[in-house]
């Protein structure tokens, strides 16, 4: 009951926040019934079409107005020229560019209309006062048309200069300069694909308006939900993490599917803009506005990544490509999610509570969470704490040093004398304990949440890099859109593999996802047999500790996906797993699973051998997890299409094993010396400088080691809350 109460509280807070934002900002935020009110009561708010010259605002506006039965106003024809008594071209010639923007702004500020489709000029967004005036009257839709399309259209219209374009400035440069103003004022983006017609764009405008009318179609349900279950908003699931019934949240109606022309358009963008374009389709603007989302994304994927491409795709051999996911601040793929997820979390939080993020890690997640939440602004850090549990003997020495360096303020890591599965199971048990949750809420005004991949905001950003890998192959002309690829992923908790399947749902032509395991091969056994059997299975320590996992949380999302959303089946299977350490799916479902997913595993010797062979033949150093992927891919893949192998961590994080694989004699004991040794072998260009700096800065920091006792972990949680939120500031 306590959990349900929290869910209801979050929903009420969200509705209250929506009401307050609507009252304060007007058209920037809209209730669910906004569009239907617009159509039934057309004399209320406007639809404003914004974009550069040549975007088709006038033509699109006429089509949209006709379909909605709303008056159409063109600012150029119906406002400026009538106000001035001369053509726009004549006015521009008379007073010049700077004067034109000012005079245009004054005319627009004196203009009012309601219930109309209004086509703005390309230069309206350059005048702040006039845009604030317009924005108060309705919803601003940015017709985001490809620059090359714009230039071709303007050329056909014999337009060779636009407002604000000084001598010596190319059309491409002025269009790029103006885009920052369109991004500033938009309420929603209408992403126009390469070569889209005016009718295509009008259809997209209407679909964008429909998102506001049908926001409930973008809500979330539990993987164990029944028909009567109460769906949640994005902001709710980010905060709650785990559903009250023990399931994981998934989109009620799946992922939106982008059109091929839109993917072609996105392929020309840098990574951060790709992420914005993709995530805008997955996060309702009522939860995170496009402007706020863009700010978060560009902050997440900026100078904190060592490679300006963020996730470079490198050709390894023949049909194989390596997707390097380790250029973030903690040298693992977890950074791609955890540089963004804390910002989303802080944005969605109600203001009246403190929040403690609990995380179980098999290595990489811990340091990535600590780093990501550390970068929040001070006001957010004061009410958000982070507590990491990691297995004392289940992480590498370098991974441990990355985590134990965080022992002050609202971030702390604790070692547990058990394995990852115990840590993860204990956290789930805390979430499922209503008396504990109620006690923490009443005594400390604190709510627990999680940043593991069970949290939707952790999983969602990972979809982007799977899309980006395909778009890189497209941009490099390795393939044309529609040609399939396969993806091979070192797999433990199944989150990375699940995000690839979600990328496929969005329209990326991924044929097969290949899951690669080490000797903890419960996933590969399940994919092959349909039986998930933990009976008498012991977790074995390996050289690839990030996938040393037996109970794979995100497998629940996969079975929900493969079973077409059968919540009853998912509930029964995972309750059986909790009770009997075993479940088996039907043969029909197993065959359906195999249509999308293949799996295999490799031994420790094969893993190290692969590292050595790739270095000898290609001069490239893989980490142990990437090597697991390479071995399994070589065995399984049929070589009929390109294969992307996800490199999930930098090889320096597992230096002793990698040095052993490279047949290095006298491996140093000190982590810094180990990294230096790798530099002499692979060259400085293959080293991760942030990882090296972290090791040089780390000392022999003391840290808490906890017994494998659930009650002791609960005590550590309560102590953390007291230290974080009750201390004198």
């Amino acid at each position: 009951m306590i959990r349900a109460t929290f869910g209801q509280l979050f929903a009420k807070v969200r509705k209250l926040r929506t009401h307050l934002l609507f009252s304060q900002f007007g058209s920037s935020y809209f209730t669910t019934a906004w569009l239907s009110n617009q159509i039934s009561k057309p004399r209320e708010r406007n639809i404003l079409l914004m974009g550069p010259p040549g975007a088709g605002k006038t033509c699109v506006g006429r089509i949209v107005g006709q379909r909605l039965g709303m008056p159409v106003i063109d600012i150029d024809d119906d406002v400026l020229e009538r106000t001035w008594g001369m053509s726009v071209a004549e006015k521009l010639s008379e007073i010049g560019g700077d004067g034109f923007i000012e005079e245009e702004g004054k005319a627009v500020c004196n203009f009012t209309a309601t219930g109309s489709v209004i086509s703005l000029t390309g230069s309206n967004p350059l005048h702040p006062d006039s845009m604030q005036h317009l924005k108060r009257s309705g919803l601003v839709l940015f017709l985001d048309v490809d620059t090359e399309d714009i230039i071709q259209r303007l050329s056909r219209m014999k337009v060779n200069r636009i407002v604000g374009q000084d001598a010596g400035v190319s059309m491409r440069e002025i269009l790029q300069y103006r885009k920052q103003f369109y991004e500033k004022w938009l309420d929603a983006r209408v992403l126009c694909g390469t070569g889209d017609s005016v009718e295509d764009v009008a259809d997209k405008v209407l679909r964008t308006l429909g998102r506001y009318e049908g926001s409930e179609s973008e809500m979330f349900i539990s993987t164990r939900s029944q028909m009567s279950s109460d769906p949640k908003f994005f902001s709710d699931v980010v905060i709650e993490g785990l559903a009250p019934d023990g399931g994981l949240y998934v989109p009620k109606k799946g992922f939106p599917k982008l059109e091929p022309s839109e993917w072609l358009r996105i392929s020309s963008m840098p990574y951060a803009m790709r992420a914005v374009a993709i995530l805008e389709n997955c996060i309702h603007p009522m939860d995170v506005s496009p402007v706020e989302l863009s700010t978060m994304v560009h902050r997440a994927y900026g100078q904190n990544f060592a490679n300006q491409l963020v996730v470079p795709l490198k050709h390894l051999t023949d049909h194989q490509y390596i997707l390097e996911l380790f250029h973030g601040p903690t040298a693992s793929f977890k950074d791609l999610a955890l540089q963004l997820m804390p910002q989303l979390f802080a944005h969605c939080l109600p203001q009246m509570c403190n929040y403690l993020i609990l995380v179980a890690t098999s290595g990489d997640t811990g340091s990535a969470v600590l780093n990501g939440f550390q970068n929040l602004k001070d006001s957010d850090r004061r009410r958000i704490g982070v507590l990491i549990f990691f297995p004392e003997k289940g992480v590498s020495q370098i991974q441990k040093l990355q985590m134990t360096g965080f022992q002050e303020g609202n971030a702390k890591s604790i070692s547990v004398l058990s394995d990852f599965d115990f840590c993860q199971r204990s956290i789930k048990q805390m979430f499922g304990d209503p008396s504990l949750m109620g006690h923490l809420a009443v005594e400390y005004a604190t709510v627990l949440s999680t940043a593991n991949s069970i949290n939707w905001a952790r999983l969602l950003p990972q979809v982007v890099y799977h899309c980006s890998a395909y778009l890189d192959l497209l941009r490099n002309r390795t393939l044309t859109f529609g040609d399939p690829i396969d993806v091979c992923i070192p797999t433990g908790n199944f989150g990375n593999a699940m995000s690839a399947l979600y990328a496929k749902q969005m329209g990326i032509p991924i044929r097969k996802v290949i899951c690669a395991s080490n000797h903890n091969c419960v996933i590969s056994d399940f994919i092959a047999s349909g039986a998930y059997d933990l009976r008498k299975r012991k977790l074995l320590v390996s050289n690839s500790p990030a996938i040393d996992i037996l109970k794979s949380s995100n497998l629940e999302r996969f079975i929900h996906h493969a079973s077409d959303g059968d919540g009853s089946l998912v509930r029964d299977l995972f309750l059986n797993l909790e009770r009997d350490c075993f479940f088996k799916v039907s043969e029909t479902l197993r065959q359906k699973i195999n249509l999308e997913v293949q799996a295999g595993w490799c031994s420790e010797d094969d893993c190290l051998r692969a590292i050595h062979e790739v270095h000898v033949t290609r001069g490239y150093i893989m980490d142990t997890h990437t090597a697991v992927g390479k071995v399994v891919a070589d065995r399984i893949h049929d070589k009929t299409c390109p294969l992307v192998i996800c490199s999930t961590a930098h090889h320096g994080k597992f230096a002793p094993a990698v040095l052993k694989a490279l047949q290095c004699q006298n491996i140093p004991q000190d982590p810094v010396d180990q990294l230096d040794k790798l530099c002499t072998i692979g060259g400085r260009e293959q080293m991760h400088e942030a990882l090296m700096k972290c090791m040089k800065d780390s000392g022999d920091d003391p840290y808490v080691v906890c017994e494998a006792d659930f009650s002791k972990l609960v005590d550590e949680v309560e102590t953390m809350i007291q230290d974080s939120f009750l201390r004198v500031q």
Side-chain angles (χ1 to χ4, degrees):
M1 292 299 295
I2 294 292
R3 290 286 296 170
T5 300
F6 279 128
Q8 294 165 1
L9 173 64
F10 293 145
K12 289 179 180 178
V13 169
R14 183 185 189 279
K15 291 177 182 176
L16 176 61
R17 184 182 69 181
T18 299
H19 172 75
L20 293 174
L21 289 172
F22 186 87
S23 301
Q24 182 177 359
F25 298 113
S27 64
S28 298
Y29 298 86
F30 292 86
T31 62
T32 301
W34 181 85
L35 181 61
S36 58
N37 285 340
Q38 294 299 305
I39 296 172
S40 62
K41 301 177 182 178
R43 294 297 174 188
E44 293 184 6
R45 290 193 176 271
N46 299 313
I47 298 168
L48 301 112
L49 303 181
M50 175 182 68
K57 301 181 294 294
T58 299
C59 295
V60 170
R62 289 173 185 153
I63 297 172
V64 171
Q66 181 181 23
R67 293 189 187 178
L68 294 180
M70 298 171 67
V72 178
I73 298 172
D74 184 87
I75 293 292
D76 269 335
D77 296 341
D78 301 322
V79 178
L80 300 182
E81 295 191 353
R82 290 186 182 182
T83 300
W84 296 332
M86 65 176 70
S87 71
V88 168
E90 290 171 334
K91 189 71 171 180
L92 178 59
S93 177
E94 178 184 292
I95 62 176
D98 291 340
F100 180 90
I101 291 172
E102 188 59 34
E103 288 300 312
E104 178 187 60
K106 289 179 182 178
V108 170
C109 286
N110 291 323
F111 157 75
T112 58
T114 56
S116 301
V117 177
I118 302 176
S119 300
L120 308 185
T121 74
S123 53
N124 280 153
L126 279 64
H127 193 275
D129 290 343
S130 64
M131 278 306 297
Q132 287 175 351
H133 171 70
L134 289 167
K135 193 175 173 72
R136 281 192 291 267
S137 74
L139 178 70
V140 180
L141 303 184
F142 171 31
L143 305 189
D144 189 354
V145 180
D146 181 57
T147 299
E148 297 306 316
D149 282 354
I150 291 289
I151 291 174
Q152 290 177 20
R153 293 176 189 177
L154 293 177
S155 177
R156 289 195 297 268
M157 297 160 61
K158 301 189 183 305
V159 175
N160 54 22
R161 188 169 297 278
I162 62 176
V163 176
Q165 185 179 359
D166 297 329
V169 177
S170 70
M171 183 64 73
R172 184 173 282 100
E173 289 171 331
I174 189 64
L175 290 172
Q176 183 60 38
Y177 167 75
R178 279 194 179 188
K179 190 166 185 181
Q180 62 184 305
F181 299 99
Y182 305 137
E183 297 281 351
K184 175 181 178 181
W185 295 110
L186 67 89
D187 286 313
R189 183 190 315 275
V190 179
L191 183 66
C192 304
T194 303
D196 277 359
S197 68
V198 172
E199 290 77 12
D200 292 333
V201 177
D203 288 339
K204 289 183 179 182
V205 167
L206 293 170
R207 286 199 297 270
T208 301
L209 293 171
R211 286 190 77 189
Y212 289 88
E213 182 184 22
S215 63
E216 272 121 27
S217 67
E218 296 186 36
M219 297 183 79
F220 293 77
I221 58 172
S222 167
T223 50
R224 304 182 188 186
S225 70
Q226 308 304 300
M227 295 300 294
S228 60
S229 296
D230 186 26
K232 301 293 182 74
F233 293 100
F234 175 84
S235 51
D236 301 328
V237 305
V238 171
I239 296 166
E240 292 185 37
L242 193 67
D245 60 9
L248 308 185
Y249 285 115
V250 292
K252 184 178 180 180
K253 294 192 175 180
F255 271 76
K257 187 171 183 178
L258 275 62
E259 299 171 3
S261 63
E262 292 172 325
W263 286 120
L264 289 170
R265 172 77 193 288
I266 296 171
S267 69
S268 65
M269 300 176 182
Y271 188 82
M273 283 305 301
R274 287 178 178 178
V276 170
I278 293 167
L279 295 175
E280 279 181 352
N281 285 277
C282 304
I283 302 174
H284 197 277
M286 183 71 77
D287 290 290
V288 185
S289 75
V291 173
E292 291 167 322
L293 180 60
S294 179
T295 300
M296 293 180 198
V297 167
H298 282 88
R299 186 167 182 239
Y301 307 125
Q303 296 301 314
N304 49 340
F305 277 77
N307 191 299
Q308 64 179 358
L309 297 177
V310 183
V311 288
L313 184 71
K314 297 185 176 179
H315 185 226
L316 185 63
T317 176
D318 299 327
H319 60 285
Q320 291 185 350
Y321 295 81
I322 294 284
L323 183 63
E324 292 187 343
L325 302 174
F326 53 70
H327 291 285
T330 70
S332 103
F333 80 103
K334 306 296 177 68
D335 290 323
L336 274 304
L338 286 162
Q339 290 298 301
L340 179 58
M341 184 265 187
Q343 298 181 72
L344 291 170
F345 188 88
H347 175 83
C348 294
L349 288 183
Q351 296 294 319
M352 74 283 287
C353 294
N354 302 312
Y355 293 84
L356 181 63
I357 309 298
L358 298 182
V359 175
T361 181
S362 54
D364 291 331
T365 297
S367 57
V369 169
L370 292 164
N371 183 279
F373 278 91
Q374 182 189 48
N375 291 331
L376 290 174
K377 58 187 179 182
D378 290 342
S379 59
D380 289 327
R381 289 207 306 269
R382 280 193 291 270
R383 63 195 185 102
I384 302 174
V386 180
L387 182 59
I388 307 294
F389 293 120
F390 67 89
E392 171 65 18
K393 295 183 179 180
V395 300
S396 75
Q397 184 182 9
I398 289 176
Q399 287 175 315
K400 185 181 295 185
L401 287 172
Q402 284 184 296
M403 288 185 285
T404 55
F406 291 86
Q407 297 295 338
E408 298 180 356
N410 283 22
K412 186 177 181 181
S413 57
I414 292 177
S415 170
V416 180
L417 296 174
S418 187
D419 55 29
F420 168 79
D421 286 328
F422 174 81
C423 298
Q424 181 167 256
R425 185 168 63 252
S426 297
I427 288 177
K428 282 191 172 184
Q429 187 175 342
M430 292 182 205
F431 278 109
D433 186 341
S435 62
L436 173 63
M437 298 290 284
H439 168 70
L440 298 179
V442 172
E443 292 295 324
Y444 305 112
T446 297
V447 177
L448 300 182
S449 191
T450 180
N452 280 92
S453 58
I454 61 176
N455 189 305
W456 184 252
R458 246 296 301 279
L459 193 65
L460 180 59
Q462 295 177 233
V463 176
V464 176
Y465 59 69
H466 290 297
C467 298
S468 186
Y470 187 87
L471 298 179
D472 281 346
L473 292 170
L474 195 64
R475 186 171 59 184
N476 297 339
R477 300 184 179 179
T478 302
L479 43 71
T480 58
F481 193 86
D483 294 339
I485 64 167
D486 289 342
V487 179
C488 184
I489 301 170
T491 304
N493 226 7
F494 211 85
N496 204 350
M498 196 65 236
S499 62
L501 292 168
Y502 286 143
K504 181 178 181 178
Q505 272 193 17
M506 292 194 75
I508 295 297
I510 295 174
R511 185 183 62 168
K512 292 276 190 179
V513 174
I514 300 173
C515 296
S517 303
N518 57 27
H519 50 207
N520 294 298
C521 52
V522 63
I523 288 291
S524 59
D525 288 349
F526 167 72
I527 299 300
S529 68
Y532 201 88
D533 192 354
L534 300 181
R535 297 170 299 187
K536 299 181 181 179
R537 190 188 287 263
K538 298 290 186 181
L539 189 73
L540 305 174
V541 175
S542 78
N543 289 317
S544 46
I547 54 176
D548 284 348
I549 297 171
L550 293 182
K551 191 170 285 187
S552 178
S553 291
N554 278 286
L555 187 67
E556 183 163 338
R557 283 190 171 110
F558 176 53
I559 294 178
H560 186 270
H561 160 79
S563 65
D564 298 321
D566 190 338
S568 297
L569 172 66
V570 173
R571 180 199 61 207
D572 292 345
L573 290 177
F574 283 87
L575 288 178
N576 287 343
L577 186 64
E578 291 294 329
R579 184 182 64 247
D580 304 326
C581 296
F582 174 85
F583 70 72
K584 186 171 185 177
V585 300
S586 68
E587 179 60 19
T588 300
L589 182 55
R590 188 194 69 80
Q591 291 178 6
K592 189 173 180 181
I593 286 170
N594 290 160
L595 292 176
E596 289 193 291
V597 177
Q598 293 178 290
W601 69 279
C602 86
S603 68
E604 295 292 275
D605 289 343
D606 287 342
C607 169
L608 299 184
R609 189 178 302 112
I611 294 172
H612 179 259
E613 289 176 355
V614 168
H615 180 251
V616 168
T617 58
R618 295 290 168 178
Y620 186 84
I621 303 178
M622 301 185 297
D623 89 296
T624 48
H625 304 78
T626 310
V628 168
K630 177 75 166 70
V631 171
V632 172
D634 287 344
R635 290 176 184 166
I636 291 180
H637 192 240
D638 63 11
K639 301 178 176 60
T640 59
C641 67
L643 172 71
V644 174
I645 301 173
C646 290
S647 183
T648 54
H650 187 270
H651 60 264
K653 298 191 78 166
F654 310 97
V658 174
L659 288 169
K660 178 182 178 181
L662 298 176
Q663 301 179 359
C664 176
Q665 303 299 315
N666 303 317
I667 298 173
Q669 294 300 307
D670 182 76
V672 174
D673 293 337
Q674 292 169 2
L675 296 180
D676 281 334
K677 191 74 171 178
L678 284 171
C679 280
T680 64
I681 297 172
R684 195 79 191 183
E685 66 277 5
Q686 288 199 46
M687 183 44 60
H688 194 289
E689 294 300 329
L691 181 63
M692 176 69 86
K693 183 178 185 302
C694 177
M695 291 302 101
K696 288 182 177 180
D697 293 344
S698 66
D700 190 14
D701 298 308
Y703 61 94
V704 175
V705 180
C706 185
E707 296 176 20
D709 183 327
F710 175 74
S711 63
K712 296 290 179 62
L713 268 63
V714 172
D715 290 342
E716 292 294 343
V717 167
E718 191 158 2
T719 299
M720 178 69 182
I721 291 172
Q722 293 169 351
D723 291 345
S724 298
F725 305 127
L726 300 186
R727 67 180 185 276
V728 177
Q729 299 291 330

